[in-house]
Amino acid sequence: MGLSILKAGIADTLQDQGRYGFQHLGIPPGGAMDPVAILVSNALVGNQANEAVLEMHFPAPVLLFKSSALIALAGADFGAEIDGVSVELNQPLLVPQNSTLRFTKNKSGARVYLSVAGGFVAEEWLGSFGTMLLVQKGGFNGRNLATNDSLLFKKNRVEKIESLIALPWRASLAEFYFGNCIQCIAGAEATALNEEATTNFTQAVFSVGIQSNRMGYRLNGPNLNTITQKEYLSTAVDFGTIQLLPSGQLILLMADHQTTGGYPKIAHVSSTYFATLAQSPIGKQLQFEWIDIATAEKKLIEQQQNLQQLQNACNFRLQEYFSND
Amino acid sequence: MELTNSYLIYPVSDHAITLDFGQEMNAQTNQRIMLLFQLLQEKNIAGIKDIIPAYSSICLVYDCKLVLKIAGGISAYAFLKGLLDALVIELSNKISSNTGRNLKLPVCYDPILAPDLMPLIETLQLGIEEFIALHTNTSYRVYMIGFLPGFAYMGTVNKKIISPRKQNPRNIVPAGSVGIAGAQTGIYPIDCPGGWQLIGRTPIQIFDANKKQPSFFMPGDTVCFEPIGIDQFYEMQKQPSKWD
């Protein structure tokens, strides 16, 4: 009961919503990069939002289902095919035993999530099932999946089926992903930028640099200078914190960020935009605009409510489908 | 010394808030932070997911939705800002006694394990014994843990051995390496890249993911280093670390 990795992708890990309560010991939260995609893929198969999912980048792995399963994919569009048949994102799929899931083309986005009904068997570390590569803990032996690894399902919710069935509904996620314009709350050291840099921060275009990963994105753009050269004491940083490096370039912290940092904190991306950031591949152009904390908080709550409604709708449809079966 | 009551509170996202006593590295300010850390842990406020103390600041990471339930109609940020303001007042009535533990840690200063020690003492114009004495005769405060799991930023080192970071960071620093950067000293908990001047190594595994409490250090601890010889280092390295 599970799936095996016929061919590993470049960075396939099990992730949940992150590990909290240990940042005072320097242990980062980690967790899925795209908070919307993990929640939706889990909701579509009837899982709790925090159930561990498989996060995959392109080139993505080739997966063989060793048992029938109810699954869903959300996040990036990598041209998913099951036994040669294209399948949609954001839709529950009943997958027969011995079918193969592969990803054929890097169409859009940066990472795709796979949920299976009931969840994957994963290693728990400090209250989270997410993989933390740095200390090789959590998820699947604390590491990226390799060819020939087998992931087990916790329980099989699905009777044996003969052929692929796409359940007749899809989640619409358009409202949770935005264009190039990313809203930010001003950071404590935003005022350290000189006039030109302050203007450039919201006027210039930045692109996601090649040295970008789960820890952070390097942003290519004009060099930003500060009024004076000043060293700052390290303070806490977070997912979405934008820091100014000594070189004048920006770094945007992502899920596996360090817990503290000493570079000036210029801005903090409103968490409503985390999903958009997570699906911004290398080369993607971004622009920043300011938002105040009160508005950002309202938007966050509104997004959470909309996601809750989506979860409820998914659960309702699933129950309805399987009770009519 | 009179305590300054000025501080800054600012958002670190729409779900994290920091109080900063003003960007200074001194034991007294950090002790106030540690008292705040303790107070906040005791209060066990609904929706607080993480409390991150640093040199002169403390950050609360929170679940907006849960905080709003107790916020009484104002925003979660405004509620927590009010709470931190009140805590600072509460704090001013507290006697600032040290809350941390006293720890001892063996360190071997043999140049075989301390690749920057010889060039450094030459630059500083110190003898090796003198350097070791200067590094071990001070008790250090764990100002904060950050950068890596279990990496303790300790200070303050004797003025005579303050040393800049290396121009070119190493790609791999072995776990247990003791470094100096400016007036700070610290120990690499895992093998990783690093730019601190490496002046010794401890045989103790200071981050052990298999332990329930994986970090040897806690913020606010006081630490003394005890010099050991290289034979003792290898002997101790073979033993499983007993702390926890």
Side-chain angles (χ1 to χ4, degrees):
Chain A
M1 215 172 65
L3 59 79
S4 59
I5 316 294
L6 294 184
K7 187 172 179 238
I10 48 161
D12 320 322
T13 56
L14 288 175
Q15 296 294 348
D16 63 8
Q17 288 181 315
R19 182 174 285 109
Y20 287 90
F22 300 93
Q23 289 200 72
H24 63 289
L25 301 178
I27 298 168
M33 290 273 274
D34 182 337
V36 170
I38 179 179
L39 189 138
V40 171
S41 69
N42 272 332
L44 285 165
V45 298
N47 288 347
Q48 296 288 320
N50 194 32
E51 191 65 51
V53 298
L54 184 54
E55 180 182 271
M56 298 166 283
H57 298 77
F58 201 87
V62 179
L63 307 173
L64 173 70
F65 286 87
K66 293 194 283 193
S67 47
S68 303
L70 172 63
I71 69 160
L73 294 164
D77 184 355
F78 291 159
E81 289 183 1
I82 292 177
D83 289 339
V85 178
S86 286
V87 291
E88 298 275 358
L89 293 172
N90 312 325
Q91 183 167 20
L93 305 166
L94 279 165
V95 178
Q97 188 178 16
N98 291 326
S99 46
T100 304
L101 168 62
R102 63 181 80 233
F103 298 89
T104 57
K105 199 176 172 213
N106 191 355
K107 290 182 177 172
S108 67
R111 34 193 62 88
V112 66
Y113 294 83
L114 168 69
S115 291
V116 295
F120 294 105
V121 173
E123 176 191 288
E124 186 178 358
W125 185 58
L126 302 180
S128 162
F129 295 92
T131 308
M132 194 180 163
L133 298 175
L134 197 58
V135 296
Q136 293 156 32
K137 279 286 168 186
F140 187 89
N141 299 331
R143 63 167 170 83
N144 288 322
L145 291 172
T147 301
N148 296 327
D149 281 344
S150 287
L151 279 179
L152 298 176
F153 303 154
K154 279 198 249 178
K155 48 196 157 191
N156 208 354
R157 292 259 175 92
V158 182
E159 308 261 315
K160 208 169 166 173
I161 52 158
E162 295 306 317
S163 61
L164 176 70
I165 302 166
L167 305 196
W169 65 91
R170 284 188 71 202
S172 166
L173 301 190
E175 66 178 301
F176 302 110
Y177 294 90
F178 304 97
N180 295 22
C181 195
I182 304 293
Q183 294 189 326
C184 303
I185 302 152
E189 286 86 45
T191 50
L193 293 179
N194 68 19
E195 211 180 310
E196 189 193 3
T198 304
T199 308
N200 269 337
F201 184 73
T202 50
Q203 300 300 313
V205 174
F206 296 87
S207 66
V208 178
I210 195 138
Q211 288 171 286
S212 295
N213 54 36
R214 280 184 44 91
M215 280 183 76
Y217 292 176
R218 295 294 289 261
L219 300 176
N220 296 329
N223 270 340
L224 305 183
N225 296 311
T226 50
I227 300 163
T228 52
Q229 288 288 328
K230 195 182 158 199
E231 296 237 336
Y232 295 89
L233 285 179
S234 284
T235 60
V237 291
D238 199 359
F239 194 137
T241 296
I242 299 176
Q243 289 178 287
L244 182 66
L245 300 174
S247 63
Q249 295 287 298
L250 296 172
I251 185 163
L252 163 61
L253 303 182
M254 298 297 286
D256 284 339
H257 64 85
Q258 293 180 5
T259 54
T260 58
Y263 296 130
K265 303 179 292 291
I266 305 303
H268 308 281
V269 173
S270 158
S271 56
T272 317
Y273 289 80
F274 287 0
T276 306
L277 291 179
Q279 297 304 344
S280 297
I282 289 164
K284 169 86 183 266
Q285 296 197 325
L286 302 172
Q287 277 197 282
F288 300 111
E289 72 177 29
W290 297 119
I291 183 174
D292 62 88
I293 173 74
T295 314
E297 193 176 314
K298 271 191 204 131
K299 285 191 164 196
L300 161 65
I301 294 298
E302 197 181 293
Q303 191 189 56
Q304 283 182 349
Q305 283 165 349
N306 293 341
L307 284 167
Q308 182 65 55
Q309 276 175 17
L310 187 67
Q311 272 177 299
N312 295 345
C314 287
N315 277 328
F316 178 76
R317 295 299 292 264
L318 262 188
Q319 277 174 12
E320 196 183 45
Y321 183 87
F322 284 106
S323 61
N324 293 343
D325 222 13
Chain B
M1 197 200 293
E2 201 168 319
L3 286 177
T4 158
N5 265 325
S6 71
Y7 58 89
L8 205 63
I9 293 179
Y10 58 83
V12 185
S13 72
D14 45 26
H15 55 269
I17 181 169
T18 290
L19 180 152
D20 197 327
F21 282 126
Q23 290 281 316
E24 45 180 332
M25 178 180 165
N26 68 55
Q28 206 174 9
T29 302
N30 189 248
Q31 184 51 32
R32 292 176 84 195
I33 292 297
M34 292 311 153
L35 278 173
L36 267 180
F37 182 50
Q38 205 179 30
L39 272 174
L40 282 161
Q41 282 178 319
E42 283 164 12
K43 289 195 189 282
N44 200 16
I45 302 150
I48 304 294
K49 295 161 81 178
D50 260 311
I51 310 171
I52 316 168
Y55 285 103
S56 64
S57 68
I58 191 159
C59 175
L60 307 182
V61 180
Y62 54 93
D63 181 322
C64 237
K65 202 166 117 187
L66 294 181
V67 173
L68 278 175
K69 281 187 186 165
I70 55 167
I74 55 173
S75 74
Y77 178 77
F79 173 77
L80 290 173
K81 185 175 182 301
L83 186 130
L84 287 170
D85 283 327
L87 273 180
V88 173
I89 294 168
E90 193 178 329
L91 193 69
S92 59
N93 301 324
K94 292 235 169 197
I95 295 158
S96 171
S97 60
N98 240 7
T99 47
R101 306 165 301 169
N102 289 306
L103 302 173
K104 282 181 180 161
L105 195 69
V107 172
C108 176
Y109 294 88
D110 193 296
I112 293 171
L113 302 171
D116 296 321
L117 187 55
M118 295 317 276
L120 197 63
I121 58 172
E122 205 180 300
T123 311
L124 298 170
Q125 297 192 310
L126 293 169
I128 188 160
E129 296 303 324
E130 203 181 348
F131 181 93
I132 294 169
L134 286 169
H135 194 247
T136 51
N137 287 348
T138 307
S139 66
Y140 299 97
R141 177 181 187 83
V142 176
Y143 278 91
M144 58 178 277
I145 297 178
F147 165 49
L148 288 168
F151 188 100
Y153 287 84
M154 292 177 272
T156 319
V157 304
N158 188 294
K159 273 197 293 237
K160 290 180 188 162
I161 58 170
I162 288 177
S163 319
R165 283 180 171 80
K166 289 186 77 70
Q167 290 281 337
N168 297 306
R170 288 187 170 82
N171 289 329
I172 287 283
V173 172
S177 295
V178 179
I180 289 185
Q184 308 166 103
T185 186
I187 303 170
Y188 287 87
I190 52 177
D191 294 349
C192 61
W196 291 29
Q197 306 268 3
L198 306 183
I199 52 110
R201 203 188 299 177
T202 179
I204 307 295
Q205 193 185 344
I206 61 154
F207 188 85
D208 185 346
N210 294 319
K211 284 187 158 67
K212 203 175 157 197
Q213 208 294 76
S215 174
F216 178 81
F217 298 109
M218 296 287 279
D221 284 344
T222 300
V223 184
C224 284
F225 298 127
E226 296 183 316
I228 56 168
I230 192 140
D231 295 341
Q232 208 181 346
F233 175 89
Y234 287 121
E235 195 51 46
M236 290 180 84
Q237 207 182 30
K238 277 186 247 160
Q239 314 293 328
S241 43
K242 286 198 200 88
W243 56 272
D244 199 11

